[in-house]
Amino acid sequence: MTIKDDHRIMSQAVREWYRYYGVEWDDQASSFLCDAAIGLYEQGCRSVEEMATTLIGTYVGLPATRINAPSSDTVH
């Protein structure tokens, strides 16, 4: 598998998430989902179907892609 193939798998899985939830493109969500896809890839997920299914089941809709603000403990 080439880097191009790896990139295609991850980007198609993210696009499938968007299609499934019917949401418009969102930069923050895309960044979050791409990071999640990279993590799945590093854990051995190598198919678009498996990755998309995991993303769809784990991050249910746009609100699930929002990262919480850092706590005061993190800031200090």
Side-chain angles (χ1 to χ4, degrees):
M1 218 178 251
T2 67
I3 292 174
K4 186 175 179 179
D5 292 333
D6 300 342
H7 180 263
R8 181 188 55 77
I9 289 167
M10 290 180 273
S11 64
Q12 283 184 341
V14 170
R15 283 195 306 266
E16 287 298 320
W17 182 93
Y18 274 99
R19 265 189 227 119
Y20 183 85
Y21 287 109
V23 296
E24 295 292 319
W25 177 265
D26 180 272
D27 288 338
Q28 184 179 356
S30 295
S31 178
F32 181 89
L33 291 166
C34 286
D35 287 346
I38 290 167
L40 290 170
Y41 188 85
E42 289 173 348
Q43 293 172 18
C45 183
R46 295 293 188 269
S47 77
V48 173
E49 295 79 14
E50 180 185 8
M51 190 175 291
T53 299
T54 302
L55 290 174
I56 289 165
T58 304
Y59 307 105
V60 181
L62 196 57
T65 65
R66 300 300 187 218
I67 299 170
N68 294 332
S71 70
S72 59
D73 292 339
T74 306
V75 175
H76 295 287

